[in-house]
Amino acid sequence: MKSVHVSKPEHAAIERVIASIPAGRVSSYGEIAMRAGLPGRARLVGRVLGESDKALKLPWHRVLRSSGQTAFAKGSHGFREQSQRLRAEGVVIVNGRVDLERFGWERNLDVELWGPPPATKPKNRVR
């Protein structure tokens, strides 16, 4: 039997924070907990995401581990879907990881004001 989502004030606060993450930006479970006034409750953020009503249409794909990695195993359906959604918003993913300094929500004032710098291609060196 599926459990019914009980809206607790903590859950509502976490859902509001997740809903506020703008397109093209990401945040970690721990950062979301801090913004919701629940420091140290990163695991609760994951639980709330897993139990949230799908009708809320939370941008779950913008939530990452503190390392910038997805919580899904590489190659899994969740990993592929999250990667696809983030790339559609212009977020660069390299080896399953997002550069949080570049795409993290409100981490860098220049990025927030002017947008992320364009991706640079590695220079070919002639030896």
Side-chain angles (χ1 to χ4, degrees), residues 7-77:
S7 182
K8 297 178 181 177
E10 298 89 5
H11 291 208
I14 289 169
E15 289 170 345
R16 277 193 303 276
V17 172
I18 295 169
S20 299
I21 304 170
R25 295 285 181 259
V26 296
S27 191
S28 72
Y29 293 93
E31 290 171 336
I32 291 166
M34 288 287 288
R35 287 175 187 259
L38 302 162
R41 304 293 305 273
R43 288 179 188 251
L44 179 60
V45 173
R47 191 167 125 213
V48 169
L49 271 174
E51 295 175 356
S52 68
D53 185 350
K54 303 303 178 211
L56 291 176
K57 297 186 180 181
L58 292 175
W60 61 269
H61 60 284
R62 298 178 188 148
V63 181
L64 303 171
R65 292 179 176 170
S66 62
S67 64
Q69 291 178 299
T70 71
F72 299 103
K74 282 187 180 180
S76 68
H77 174 72

Side-chain angles (χ1 to χ4, degrees), residues 23-25 84-93 102-103 116-117 119:
R25 295 285 181 259
Q84 180 182 10
R85 287 178 180 227
L86 288 172
R87 285 187 179 112
E89 293 181 356
V91 176
V92 177
I93 303 167
R102 184 171 175 202
F103 294 102

